[in-house]
């Protein structure tokens, strides 16, 4: 995907462990993608490792999870942010490694970028309770982001398929975490009354997928039996700036560096 002059390229990927992704070919992808801002989820590595691997040419904002080997989010940028923040606004999640924000000045305007990693959840367990609490915190935070910046963008693994187009086997998953009616209702609000836009759905149209995650079981990847759970959620003006997107799906199962595919969007500034 060639990048227009003046376009800002923002990519998001759940790396499923930075050290493992690095061994499996992430550096080659990154070197050849011309990314300006990169959001990572499930970093699952100490801050020292993140800075060792990504020291060359990147400004690094990383929130390590208190629980070692879990979660962790980061924002890497070629230009230095004007401000950074950690946390979604509920102190319960402050050490969870699930939400970081960075402000940038782009084209004379303020752009706030968030890297978010929503809980996967599990029906009728404390994990699902935490997931709903986190989504509630997002409901409160999203309007604040849009009010404080010219352009607001939340990217990351949000662990919910919003509509039937977003999950290949949606009928079999109606009672499972990730496609529960209660979870999807939050996204109705995000893309409704809260004024955000699903950038990839706008650009792709009403098609199946494009999926960004595939189970490691069976031949889900080979048969493209996937879920679209990675998003670019943009405030209205920024959504109008979106030019094109790409899902960097590996050619084969064994060529991927993570079980998610990087989601790349170019914005016109």
């Amino acid at each position: 995907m060639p990048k227009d002059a003046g376009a800002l390229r923002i990519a998001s990927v759940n790396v499923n462990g930075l050290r493992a992704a690095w061994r499996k070919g992430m550096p080659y992808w990154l070197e050849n993608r011309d990314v300006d801002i990169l959001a990572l989820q499930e970093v699952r590595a100490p801050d020292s490792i993140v800075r060792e691997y990504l020291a060359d040419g990147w400004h690094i904002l990383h929130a390590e999870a208190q629980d070692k080997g879990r979660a962790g989010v980061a924002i890497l940028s070629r230009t230095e942010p004007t401000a950074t923040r950690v946390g979604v606004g509920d102190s319960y999640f402050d050490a969870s490694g699930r939400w970081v924000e960075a402000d940038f000045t782009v084209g004379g305007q303020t752009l706030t970028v968030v890297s978010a990693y929503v809980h996967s959840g599990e029906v009728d367990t404390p994990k699902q309770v935490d997931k709903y609490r986190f989504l509630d915190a997002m409901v409160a935070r999203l309007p604040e982001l849009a009010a404080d910046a010219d352009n607001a963008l939340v990217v990351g693994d949000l662990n919910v398929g919003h509509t039937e187009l977003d999950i290949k086997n949606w009928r079999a998953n109606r009672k499972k975490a990730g496609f529960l009616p209660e979870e999807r209702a939050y996204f109705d609000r995000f893309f409704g009354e809260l004024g955000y836009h699903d950038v990839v759905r706008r650009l792709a149209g009403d098609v199946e997928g494009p999926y960004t995650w595939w189970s490691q079981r069976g031949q889900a990847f080979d048969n493209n039996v996937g879920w679209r759970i990675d998003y670019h959620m943009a405030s209205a003006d920024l959504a109008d700036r979106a030019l094109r997107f790409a899902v960097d799906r590996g050619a084969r199962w064994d060529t991927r560096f993570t079980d998610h595919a990087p989601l790349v969007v170019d914005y016109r500034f």
Side-chain angles (χ1 to χ4, degrees):
M1 185 171 75
K3 186 168 71 172
D4 293 354
L8 185 74
R9 177 162 291 176
I10 302 177
S12 176
V13 57
N14 178 321
V15 293
N16 195 19
L18 179 63
R19 284 170 286 198
W22 209 254
R23 291 194 304 269
K24 295 176 182 178
M26 181 180 170
Y28 178 81
W29 169 79
L30 193 54
E31 288 167 9
N32 291 278
R33 215 55 184 95
D34 196 15
V35 173
D36 299 298
I37 299 174
L38 173 64
L40 304 179
Q41 302 87 45
E42 271 202 282
V43 175
R44 301 202 327 241
D47 193 65
S48 59
I49 293 293
V50 175
R51 296 184 184 279
E52 175 187 342
Y53 286 11
L54 295 157
D56 187 19
W58 293 102
H59 297 275
I60 300 172
L61 168 64
H62 173 225
E64 184 179 343
Q66 187 175 47
D67 295 334
K68 301 302 180 184
R70 299 182 62 83
V73 289
I75 296 175
L76 314 177
S77 57
R78 294 301 188 184
T79 60
E80 187 173 3
T82 59
T84 62
R85 295 168 295 278
V86 174
V88 70
D90 181 341
S91 61
Y92 179 75
F93 298 112
D94 281 354
S96 66
R98 292 185 179 273
W99 186 278
V100 288
E101 304 175 0
D103 297 338
F104 302 92
T105 299
V106 184
Q109 294 191 324
T110 301
L111 167 67
T112 295
V113 177
V114 175
S115 180
Y117 176 46
V118 174
H119 307 65
S120 56
E122 187 177 344
V123 175
D124 296 330
T125 72
K127 293 180 180 180
Q128 194 67 24
V129 174
D130 281 355
K131 185 174 189 177
Y132 287 134
R133 181 167 177 171
F134 194 88
L135 291 168
D136 283 335
M138 287 181 63
V139 169
R141 184 61 183 143
L142 289 176
E144 296 172 346
L145 291 171
D148 291 342
D150 298 305
N151 302 281
L153 179 67
V154 177
V155 303
D157 177 3
L158 304 187
N159 262 316
V160 176
H162 182 207
T163 74
E164 294 169 4
L165 292 173
D166 297 322
I167 299 180
K168 183 69 172 180
N169 286 338
W170 63 267
R171 289 181 179 85
N173 286 284
R174 285 177 290 185
K175 296 182 180 181
K176 296 181 180 179
F179 200 61
L180 297 171
E182 297 87 350
E183 295 173 330
R184 296 164 60 199
Y186 282 95
F187 285 70
D188 290 340
R189 294 187 68 186
F190 296 161
F191 302 133
E193 65 184 88
L194 298 186
Y196 280 74
H197 295 262
D198 184 343
V199 171
V200 171
R201 178 56 67 212
R202 279 181 49 154
L203 293 173
D206 292 332
V207 299
E208 289 188 349
Y211 307 125
T212 60
W213 176 82
W214 299 262
S215 171
Q216 303 277 27
R217 299 175 181 175
Q219 295 187 332
F221 181 79
D222 294 335
N223 296 324
N224 200 27
V225 180
W227 295 51
R228 190 176 77 95
I229 54 177
D230 300 89
Y231 290 83
H232 278 229
M233 298 197 334
S235 56
D237 289 347
L238 183 61
D240 289 340
R241 294 179 179 274
L243 294 169
R244 60 185 63 86
F245 80 94
V247 175
D248 287 350
R249 185 181 189 272
R252 301 189 315 275
W253 182 89
D254 59 353
T255 64
R256 302 180 300 161
F257 61 84
T258 174
D259 55 350
H260 288 250
L263 182 59
V264 185
V265 180
D266 288 352
Y267 296 90
R268 180 193 300 109
F269 275 90

